[in-house]
Amino acid sequence: MTKEQITEKLKDIFKLVVHNGVDADMLDGNSNIRLDLGVNSVALIYMVIAIERTFGVDMHDVSYNTFTTVNDVVDYIYERVV
């Protein structure tokens, strides 16, 4: 799986989990998860669950401050699925 494919799946997860008016199609690797995308701690929990199910990764070590940008999430997933 490529990083681009991971990013596209993350967009789909974002669309399903976060309902704050932010256009997930505008999401890019440098988007700040909290500031640009408005993901709060509750939304992050739902995103982590969706990521675990979608990619088959264990994210037990993830906290609210683990990731800053979308690229951080993509790199985390990529390292565990490739």
Side-chain angles (χ1 to χ4, degrees):
M1 179 173 288
T2 67
K3 289 186 177 185
E4 291 79 18
Q5 291 170 319
I6 293 170
T7 301
E8 288 305 311
K9 287 188 178 205
L10 283 176
K11 286 180 184 181
D12 293 338
I13 290 170
F14 184 80
K15 288 175 189 176
L16 290 172
V17 173
V18 182
H19 305 283
N20 62 2
V22 174
D23 184 1
D25 292 322
M26 300 305 292
L27 179 144
D28 69 22
N30 295 317
S31 298
N32 185 292
I33 294 168
R34 289 179 294 284
L35 300 177
D36 298 332
L37 304 178
V39 174
N40 61 27
S41 58
V42 174
L44 182 64
I45 292 169
Y46 289 119
M47 287 185 69
V48 165
I49 292 168
I51 289 168
E52 286 181 330
R53 291 181 179 170
T54 301
F55 296 101
V57 297
D58 182 2
M59 298 182 76
H60 71 278
D61 58 340
V62 171
S63 72
Y64 187 63
N65 294 316
T66 301
F67 308 116
T68 302
T69 66
V70 171
N71 278 339
D72 294 339
V73 180
V74 171
D75 290 343
Y76 181 94
I77 295 168
Y78 185 78
E79 291 170 6
R80 284 153 180 79
V81 296
V82 174

Coordinates of all heavy atoms in Angstrom, one line a residue:
M1 N 0.9 -1.2 0.0 CA 0.0 0.0 0.0 C 0.9 1.2 0.0 O 1.8 1.3 0.8 CB -0.9 0.0 1.2 CG -1.8 1.2 1.3 SD -3.0 1.1 2.7 CE -4.1 -0.1 2.0
T2 N 0.6 2.2 -0.9 CA 1.4 3.4 -1.0 C 0.9 4.4 0.1 O -0.2 4.3 0.6 CB 1.3 4.0 -2.4 OG1 0.0 4.5 -2.6 CG2 1.7 3.0 -3.4
K3 N 1.7 5.4 0.3 CA 1.3 6.5 1.2 C 0.1 7.3 0.6 O -0.7 7.8 1.3 CB 2.5 7.5 1.5 CG 3.5 6.8 2.3 CD 4.6 7.8 2.7 CE 5.6 7.1 3.7 NZ 6.6 8.1 4.2
E4 N 0.0 7.4 -0.7 CA -1.1 8.1 -1.4 C -2.4 7.3 -1.1 O -3.4 7.9 -0.9 CB -0.8 8.3 -2.9 CG 0.3 9.2 -3.2 CD 1.7 8.6 -3.0 OE1 1.8 7.4 -3.0 OE2 2.6 9.4 -2.9
Q5 N -2.3 6.0 -1.2 CA -3.5 5.2 -0.9 C -3.9 5.3 0.5 O -5.1 5.4 0.8 CB -3.2 3.7 -1.2 CG -3.1 3.4 -2.7 CD -2.5 2.1 -3.0 OE1 -1.7 1.6 -2.3 NE2 -3.1 1.4 -4.0
I6 N -3.0 5.4 1.4 CA -3.3 5.6 2.9 C -4.0 6.9 3.1 O -5.0 7.0 3.8 CB -2.0 5.4 3.7 CG1 -1.5 4.0 3.7 CG2 -2.3 5.9 5.2 CD1 -0.1 3.8 4.3
T7 N -3.4 7.9 2.4 CA -4.0 9.3 2.5 C -5.5 9.3 2.1 O -6.3 9.9 2.7 CB -3.2 10.3 1.8 OG1 -1.8 10.3 2.3 CG2 -3.8 11.7 1.9
E8 N -5.7 8.6 0.9 CA -7.1 8.6 0.4 C -8.0 7.9 1.4 O -9.2 8.3 1.6 CB -7.1 7.9 -1.0 CG -6.5 8.8 -2.1 CD -7.2 10.2 -2.2 OE1 -8.4 10.3 -2.2 OE2 -6.4 11.2 -2.2
K9 N -7.6 6.8 2.0 CA -8.4 6.1 2.9 C -8.6 6.9 4.2 O -9.7 6.9 4.8 CB -7.8 4.7 3.3 CG -8.0 3.7 2.2 CD -7.5 2.3 2.6 CE -7.7 1.4 1.5 NZ -7.9 0.0 1.9
L10 N -7.6 7.7 4.6 CA -7.8 8.6 5.7 C -8.8 9.7 5.4 O -9.6 10.1 6.3 CB -6.5 9.3 6.1 CG -5.5 8.4 6.8 CD1 -4.2 9.1 7.0 CD2 -6.0 7.9 8.2
K11 N -8.9 10.1 4.2 CA -9.9 11.1 3.8 C -11.3 10.5 4.1 O -12.2 11.2 4.6 CB -9.8 11.6 2.4 CG -8.6 12.5 2.2 CD -8.5 12.9 0.7 CE -7.3 13.7 0.4 NZ -7.3 14.1 -1.0
D12 N -11.5 9.3 3.6 CA -12.8 8.6 3.8 C -13.1 8.4 5.3 O -14.2 8.6 5.7 CB -12.7 7.2 3.1 CG -12.6 7.3 1.6 OD1 -13.0 8.3 1.1 OD2 -12.2 6.3 1.0
I13 N -12.1 8.1 6.1 CA -12.3 8.0 7.5 C -12.7 9.3 8.1 O -13.7 9.4 8.9 CB -11.1 7.4 8.2 CG1 -10.9 5.9 7.9 CG2 -11.2 7.5 9.8 CD1 -9.6 5.3 8.3
F14 N -12.0 10.3 7.7 CA -12.3 11.7 8.2 C -13.8 12.1 7.9 O -14.5 12.6 8.8 CB -11.3 12.7 7.7 CG -11.5 14.1 8.2 CD1 -11.0 14.4 9.4 CD2 -12.2 15.0 7.5 CE1 -11.2 15.7 9.9 CE2 -12.4 16.3 8.0 CZ -11.9 16.6 9.2
K15 N -14.2 11.8 6.7 CA -15.5 12.1 6.3 C -16.6 11.4 7.1 O -17.6 11.9 7.4 CB -15.8 11.7 4.8 CG -15.0 12.6 3.8 CD -15.2 12.1 2.4 CE -14.3 12.8 1.4 NZ -14.5 12.3 0.1
L16 N -16.3 10.2 7.5 CA -17.2 9.4 8.3 C -17.2 9.8 9.8 O -18.3 9.7 10.4 CB -16.9 7.9 8.2 CG -17.1 7.2 6.9 CD1 -16.6 5.8 6.9 CD2 -18.6 7.2 6.6
V17 N -16.1 10.2 10.3 CA -15.9 10.3 11.7 C -16.1 11.8 12.2 O -16.7 12.1 13.2 CB -14.6 9.8 12.2 CG1 -14.3 10.1 13.6 CG2 -14.5 8.3 11.9
V18 N -15.6 12.7 11.4 CA -15.6 14.1 11.9 C -16.6 14.9 11.1 O -16.5 15.0 9.9 CB -14.2 14.7 11.7 CG1 -14.2 16.2 12.2 CG2 -13.1 13.9 12.4
H19 N -17.5 15.5 11.8 CA -18.6 16.3 11.2 C -18.6 17.7 11.7 O -19.4 18.1 12.4 CB -20.0 15.6 11.5 CG -20.0 14.2 11.1 ND1 -20.2 13.8 9.8 CD2 -19.9 13.1 11.9 CE1 -20.2 12.4 9.8 NE2 -20.1 12.0 11.0
N20 N -17.6 18.4 11.2 CA -17.4 19.8 11.7 C -17.4 20.8 10.5 O -17.0 21.9 10.7 CB -16.1 19.9 12.5 CG -14.9 19.6 11.8 OD1 -14.9 19.3 10.6 ND2 -13.7 19.6 12.4
G21 N -17.8 20.4 9.3 CA -17.8 21.3 8.2 C -16.5 21.4 7.4 O -16.5 22.1 6.4
V22 N -15.5 20.8 7.9 CA -14.2 20.8 7.1 C -14.3 19.9 6.0 O -14.7 18.7 6.1 CB -13.0 20.4 8.1 CG1 -11.7 20.4 7.3 CG2 -12.9 21.4 9.2
D23 N -13.9 20.3 4.8 CA -13.9 19.5 3.6 C -12.7 18.6 3.6 O -11.6 19.0 3.4 CB -13.9 20.5 2.4 CG -14.0 19.7 1.1 OD1 -14.2 18.5 1.1 OD2 -14.0 20.4 0.0
A24 N -13.0 17.3 3.7 CA -11.9 16.3 3.8 C -11.2 16.2 2.5 O -10.0 15.8 2.5 CB -12.5 14.9 4.1
D25 N -11.8 16.6 1.4 CA -11.1 16.6 0.1 C -9.9 17.6 0.1 O -9.0 17.5 -0.8 CB -12.0 16.8 -1.0 CG -13.0 15.6 -1.2 OD1 -12.6 14.4 -1.0 OD2 -14.2 15.8 -1.5
M26 N -10.0 18.6 0.9 CA -8.9 19.6 1.0 C -7.7 19.1 1.9 O -6.7 19.7 1.9 CB -9.5 20.9 1.5 CG -10.6 21.5 0.7 SD -10.1 21.7 -1.0 CE -8.9 23.0 -0.9
L27 N -7.9 18.0 2.5 CA -6.9 17.4 3.4 C -5.6 17.1 2.6 O -5.7 16.6 1.5 CB -7.5 16.1 4.0 CG -6.6 15.3 4.9 CD1 -7.6 14.7 6.0 CD2 -5.9 14.2 4.2
D28 N -4.5 17.5 3.1 CA -3.2 17.1 2.5 C -2.3 16.7 3.6 O -2.6 16.8 4.8 CB -2.7 18.2 1.6 CG -2.2 19.5 2.3 OD1 -1.9 19.4 3.5 OD2 -2.1 20.5 1.7
G29 N -1.1 16.3 3.2 CA -0.1 15.8 4.2 C 0.3 16.8 5.3 O 0.6 16.4 6.4
N30 N 0.3 18.1 4.9 CA 0.7 19.1 5.9 C -0.4 19.6 6.7 O -0.2 20.5 7.6 CB 1.4 20.2 5.1 CG 2.7 19.8 4.5 OD1 3.5 19.0 5.1 ND2 2.9 20.1 3.2
S31 N -1.6 19.2 6.5 CA -2.8 19.6 7.3 C -2.6 19.3 8.8 O -2.3 18.1 9.1 CB -4.1 19.0 6.8 OG -4.4 19.4 5.5
N32 N -2.7 20.3 9.6 CA -2.6 20.0 11.1 C -3.9 19.4 11.6 O -5.0 19.9 11.3 CB -2.3 21.4 11.8 CG -2.1 21.2 13.3 OD1 -3.0 20.8 14.0 ND2 -0.9 21.4 13.7
I33 N -3.8 18.3 12.2 CA -4.9 17.5 12.6 C -5.9 18.3 13.6 O -7.1 18.3 13.4 CB -4.5 16.2 13.3 CG1 -3.8 15.3 12.2 CG2 -5.7 15.5 13.9 CD1 -3.1 14.1 12.8
R34 N -5.3 19.0 14.5 CA -6.1 19.8 15.5 C -6.5 21.1 14.9 O -7.7 21.5 15.0 CB -5.4 19.9 16.8 CG -5.3 18.5 17.5 CD -4.6 18.6 18.8 NE -3.2 18.9 18.8 CZ -2.2 18.0 18.4 NH1 -2.6 16.8 18.1 NH2 -1.0 18.3 18.4
L35 N -5.6 21.9 14.4 CA -5.8 23.3 14.0 C -6.6 23.4 12.7 O -7.6 24.1 12.6 CB -4.5 24.0 13.9 CG -3.7 24.1 15.2 CD1 -2.4 24.9 15.0 CD2 -4.6 24.8 16.3
D36 N -6.1 22.7 11.6 CA -6.7 22.8 10.3 C -8.0 21.9 10.2 O -8.9 22.3 9.5 CB -5.7 22.3 9.2 CG -4.5 23.2 9.2 OD1 -4.6 24.4 9.6 OD2 -3.4 22.8 8.8
L37 N -7.9 20.7 10.8 CA -9.0 19.8 10.6 C -10.0 19.8 11.8 O -11.1 19.2 11.7 CB -8.5 18.4 10.4 CG -7.5 18.2 9.2 CD1 -7.0 16.8 9.2 CD2 -8.2 18.6 7.9
G38 N -9.6 20.4 12.9 CA -10.6 20.6 14.0 C -10.8 19.3 14.7 O -11.9 19.1 15.3
V39 N -9.9 18.3 14.7 CA -10.1 17.1 15.4 C -9.8 17.3 16.9 O -8.8 17.7 17.3 CB -9.2 16.0 14.8 CG1 -9.3 14.7 15.6 CG2 -9.5 15.8 13.3
N40 N -10.9 17.0 17.7 CA -10.7 17.0 19.1 C -10.4 15.6 19.7 O -10.3 14.7 18.9 CB -11.9 17.7 19.8 CG -13.2 16.9 19.6 OD1 -13.1 15.7 19.4 ND2 -14.3 17.6 19.6
S41 N -10.2 15.5 21.0 CA -9.8 14.3 21.6 C -10.9 13.2 21.4 O -10.5 12.0 21.1 CB -9.5 14.4 23.1 OG -10.6 15.0 23.7
V42 N -12.1 13.5 21.4 CA -13.2 12.5 21.1 C -13.2 12.0 19.7 O -13.2 10.8 19.4 CB -14.6 13.1 21.5 CG1 -15.7 12.2 21.1 CG2 -14.6 13.5 23.0
A43 N -13.0 13.0 18.8 CA -13.0 12.6 17.3 C -11.7 11.7 17.1 O -11.8 10.8 16.3 CB -13.0 13.8 16.5
L44 N -10.6 12.0 17.8 CA -9.4 11.3 17.6 C -9.7 9.8 18.0 O -9.2 8.9 17.3 CB -8.3 11.9 18.4 CG -6.9 11.1 18.2 CD1 -6.4 11.2 16.8 CD2 -5.9 11.7 19.2
I45 N -10.4 9.6 19.1 CA -10.7 8.2 19.5 C -11.4 7.5 18.4 O -11.1 6.3 18.1 CB -11.5 8.2 20.8 CG1 -10.6 8.7 22.0 CG2 -12.0 6.8 21.1 CD1 -11.4 9.0 23.2
Y46 N -12.4 8.1 17.8 CA -13.2 7.5 16.8 C -12.3 7.2 15.5 O -12.4 6.2 14.8 CB -14.4 8.3 16.4 CG -15.5 8.2 17.4 CD1 -15.9 9.4 18.1 CD2 -16.1 7.0 17.8 CE1 -16.9 9.4 19.1 CE2 -17.1 7.0 18.8 CZ -17.5 8.1 19.4 OH -18.4 8.1 20.4
M47 N -11.4 8.2 15.2 CA -10.5 8.0 14.1 C -9.6 6.8 14.3 O -9.3 6.1 13.4 CB -9.8 9.3 13.8 CG -10.6 10.4 13.2 SD -9.7 11.9 12.8 CE -8.8 11.2 11.4
V48 N -9.0 6.7 15.5 CA -8.1 5.6 15.9 C -8.8 4.3 15.7 O -8.3 3.4 15.1 CB -7.6 5.8 17.3 CG1 -6.9 4.5 17.8 CG2 -6.6 6.9 17.3
I49 N -10.0 4.2 16.1 CA -10.8 2.9 16.0 C -11.0 2.6 14.5 O -10.8 1.5 14.1 CB -12.1 3.0 16.7 CG1 -11.9 3.1 18.2 CG2 -13.0 1.8 16.3 CD1 -13.1 3.5 19.0
A50 N -11.4 3.6 13.7 CA -11.6 3.4 12.3 C -10.3 3.1 11.6 O -10.3 2.2 10.7 CB -12.2 4.7 11.7
I51 N -9.2 3.7 12.0 CA -7.9 3.4 11.4 C -7.5 2.0 11.7 O -7.0 1.2 10.8 CB -6.8 4.4 11.8 CG1 -7.1 5.8 11.2 CG2 -5.4 3.9 11.5 CD1 -6.3 6.9 11.8
E52 N -7.7 1.6 12.9 CA -7.3 0.2 13.3 C -8.1 -0.8 12.5 O -7.5 -1.8 12.0 CB -7.6 0.0 14.8 CG -6.6 0.6 15.7 CD -6.9 0.4 17.2 OE1 -8.0 0.2 17.6 OE2 -5.9 0.4 18.0
R53 N -9.4 -0.6 12.3 CA -10.2 -1.5 11.6 C -9.9 -1.5 10.1 O -9.9 -2.5 9.4 CB -11.7 -1.2 11.8 CG -12.1 -1.6 13.2 CD -13.5 -1.3 13.4 NE -13.9 -1.6 14.8 CZ -15.1 -1.4 15.3 NH1 -16.0 -0.7 14.7 NH2 -15.3 -1.7 16.6
T54 N -9.6 -0.3 9.5 CA -9.4 -0.2 8.1 C -8.0 -0.8 7.7 O -7.9 -1.4 6.7 CB -9.5 1.3 7.7 OG1 -10.8 1.8 8.0 CG2 -9.2 1.5 6.2
F55 N -7.0 -0.5 8.5 CA -5.6 -0.8 8.1 C -5.1 -2.0 8.9 O -4.0 -2.5 8.6 CB -4.7 0.4 8.3 CG -5.0 1.5 7.5 CD1 -5.7 2.6 8.0 CD2 -4.6 1.6 6.1 CE1 -6.0 3.7 7.2 CE2 -4.9 2.6 5.3 CZ -5.6 3.7 5.8
G56 N -5.8 -2.5 9.9 CA -5.4 -3.7 10.7 C -4.2 -3.4 11.5 O -3.3 -4.3 11.7
V57 N -4.1 -2.2 12.0 CA -2.9 -1.8 12.9 C -3.4 -1.6 14.3 O -4.6 -1.3 14.5 CB -2.2 -0.5 12.4 CG1 -1.6 -0.7 11.0 CG2 -3.2 0.7 12.4
D58 N -2.5 -1.8 15.2 CA -2.8 -1.6 16.6 C -2.3 -0.2 17.0 O -1.1 0.0 16.9 CB -2.1 -2.7 17.5 CG -2.4 -2.6 18.9 OD1 -3.2 -1.7 19.4 OD2 -1.9 -3.4 19.7
M59 N -3.1 0.6 17.5 CA -2.7 2.0 17.9 C -2.9 2.2 19.4 O -3.2 3.3 19.8 CB -3.6 3.0 17.0 CG -3.4 2.9 15.5 SD -4.3 4.1 14.6 CE -3.3 5.5 14.9
H60 N -2.6 1.2 20.2 CA -2.7 1.3 21.6 C -1.8 2.4 22.2 O -2.1 2.9 23.3 CB -2.5 0.0 22.3 CG -1.1 -0.4 22.3 ND1 -0.5 -1.0 21.2 CD2 -0.1 -0.3 23.2 CE1 0.8 -1.3 21.4 NE2 1.0 -0.9 22.6
D61 N -0.7 2.7 21.5 CA 0.2 3.7 22.0 C 0.0 5.1 21.6 O 0.8 6.0 21.9 CB 1.7 3.3 21.6 CG 1.8 3.1 20.1 OD1 0.8 3.0 19.4 OD2 3.0 3.2 19.6
V62 N -1.2 5.4 21.0 CA -1.5 6.7 20.4 C -2.2 7.5 21.5 O -3.1 7.1 22.2 CB -2.4 6.5 19.2 CG1 -2.9 7.9 18.7 CG2 -1.6 5.9 18.1
S63 N -1.8 8.8 21.6 CA -2.5 9.7 22.5 C -2.8 11.0 21.6 O -2.5 11.0 20.4 CB -1.6 10.1 23.6 OG -0.5 11.0 23.2
Y64 N -3.5 11.9 22.2 CA -4.0 13.1 21.5 C -2.8 13.9 20.9 O -2.9 14.5 19.9 CB -4.8 14.0 22.5 CG -5.4 15.2 21.8 CD1 -6.4 15.0 20.9 CD2 -5.1 16.5 22.2 CE1 -7.0 16.1 20.2 CE2 -5.7 17.5 21.6 CZ -6.6 17.3 20.6 OH -7.2 18.4 20.0
N65 N -1.6 13.8 21.5 CA -0.5 14.6 21.0 C 0.5 13.7 20.2 O 1.6 14.2 19.9 CB 0.3 15.2 22.2 CG -0.6 16.2 22.9 OD1 -1.2 17.0 22.3 ND2 -0.6 16.2 24.2
T66 N 0.1 12.5 19.9 CA 1.1 11.7 19.1 C 1.3 12.2 17.7 O 2.4 12.2 17.2 CB 0.5 10.2 19.0 OG1 0.3 9.7 20.3 CG2 1.4 9.3 18.2
F67 N 0.2 12.7 17.1 CA 0.3 13.2 15.7 C 0.0 14.7 15.6 O -0.8 15.2 16.3 CB -0.7 12.5 14.8 CG -0.6 11.0 14.9 CD1 -1.7 10.3 15.4 CD2 0.5 10.3 14.5 CE1 -1.7 8.9 15.5 CE2 0.5 8.9 14.6 CZ -0.5 8.2 15.1
T68 N 0.8 15.4 14.7 CA 0.5 16.8 14.5 C -0.1 17.0 13.1 O -1.1 17.7 13.0 CB 1.8 17.6 14.6 OG1 2.4 17.4 15.9 CG2 1.6 19.1 14.4
T69 N 0.5 16.3 12.1 CA 0.0 16.5 10.8 C -0.6 15.2 10.2 O -0.3 14.1 10.8 CB 1.1 17.0 9.8 OG1 2.1 15.9 9.7 CG2 1.7 18.3 10.3
V70 N -1.2 15.3 9.1 CA -1.7 14.1 8.4 C -0.6 13.2 8.0 O -0.7 11.9 8.1 CB -2.6 14.5 7.2 CG1 -3.0 13.3 6.3 CG2 -3.9 15.2 7.6
N71 N 0.5 13.8 7.6 CA 1.7 13.0 7.2 C 2.2 12.1 8.4 O 2.7 11.0 8.2 CB 2.8 13.9 6.7 CG 2.7 14.2 5.3 OD1 2.0 13.5 4.5 ND2 3.3 15.3 4.8
D72 N 2.1 12.6 9.6 CA 2.5 11.9 10.8 C 1.6 10.6 10.9 O 2.2 9.5 11.2 CB 2.3 12.7 12.1 CG 3.2 13.9 12.2 OD1 4.2 13.9 11.5 OD2 2.9 14.8 12.9
V73 N 0.3 10.7 10.6 CA -0.6 9.5 10.7 C -0.2 8.6 9.5 O -0.1 7.4 9.7 CB -2.0 10.0 10.6 CG1 -2.9 8.8 10.7 CG2 -2.4 11.0 11.7
V74 N 0.0 9.1 8.4 CA 0.3 8.3 7.2 C 1.6 7.5 7.4 O 1.7 6.3 7.2 CB 0.4 9.2 5.9 CG1 1.0 8.4 4.8 CG2 -0.9 9.8 5.6
D75 N 2.6 8.2 7.9 CA 3.9 7.5 8.2 C 3.7 6.4 9.3 O 4.3 5.3 9.1 CB 4.9 8.5 8.7 CG 5.4 9.5 7.6 OD1 5.2 9.2 6.4 OD2 5.9 10.6 7.9
Y76 N 2.9 6.7 10.3 CA 2.7 5.7 11.4 C 2.0 4.5 10.8 O 2.5 3.3 11.0 CB 1.8 6.3 12.4 CG 1.5 5.4 13.6 CD1 2.2 5.5 14.7 CD2 0.4 4.6 13.5 CE1 1.9 4.7 15.8 CE2 0.1 3.8 14.6 CZ 0.9 3.8 15.8 OH 0.6 3.0 16.8
I77 N 1.0 4.7 9.9 CA 0.3 3.5 9.3 C 1.2 2.8 8.4 O 1.4 1.6 8.4 CB -1.0 4.0 8.6 CG1 -1.9 4.5 9.7 CG2 -1.6 2.9 7.8 CD1 -3.1 5.3 9.0
Y78 N 1.9 3.6 7.5 CA 2.8 3.0 6.5 C 3.9 2.1 7.1 O 4.1 1.0 6.6 CB 3.5 4.1 5.7 CG 4.3 3.6 4.5 CD1 3.7 3.2 3.3 CD2 5.7 3.6 4.6 CE1 4.4 2.8 2.3 CE2 6.4 3.2 3.5 CZ 5.8 2.8 2.4 OH 6.5 2.3 1.3
E79 N 4.5 2.5 8.2 CA 5.5 1.7 8.9 C 4.9 0.4 9.4 O 5.7 -0.5 9.6 CB 6.1 2.5 10.0 CG 6.9 3.7 9.6 CD 7.3 4.6 10.8 OE1 7.1 4.3 11.9 OE2 7.9 5.6 10.5
R80 N 3.6 0.3 9.7 CA 3.1 -0.9 10.3 C 2.4 -1.8 9.3 O 2.1 -2.9 9.6 CB 2.1 -0.4 11.4 CG 2.8 0.0 12.6 CD 2.1 1.0 13.4 NE 2.8 1.4 14.6 CZ 3.8 2.3 14.6 NH1 4.2 2.9 13.5 NH2 4.5 2.6 15.7
V81 N 2.1 -1.3 8.1 CA 1.4 -2.2 7.1 C 2.3 -2.6 5.9 O 1.9 -3.5 5.2 CB 0.1 -1.5 6.5 CG1 -0.9 -1.3 7.6 CG2 0.4 -0.2 5.7
V82 N 3.4 -2.0 5.8 CA 4.3 -2.3 4.7 C 5.4 -3.3 5.2 O 5.9 -3.2 6.2 CB 5.0 -1.1 4.1 CG1 6.0 -1.5 3.0 CG2 3.9 -0.2 3.4

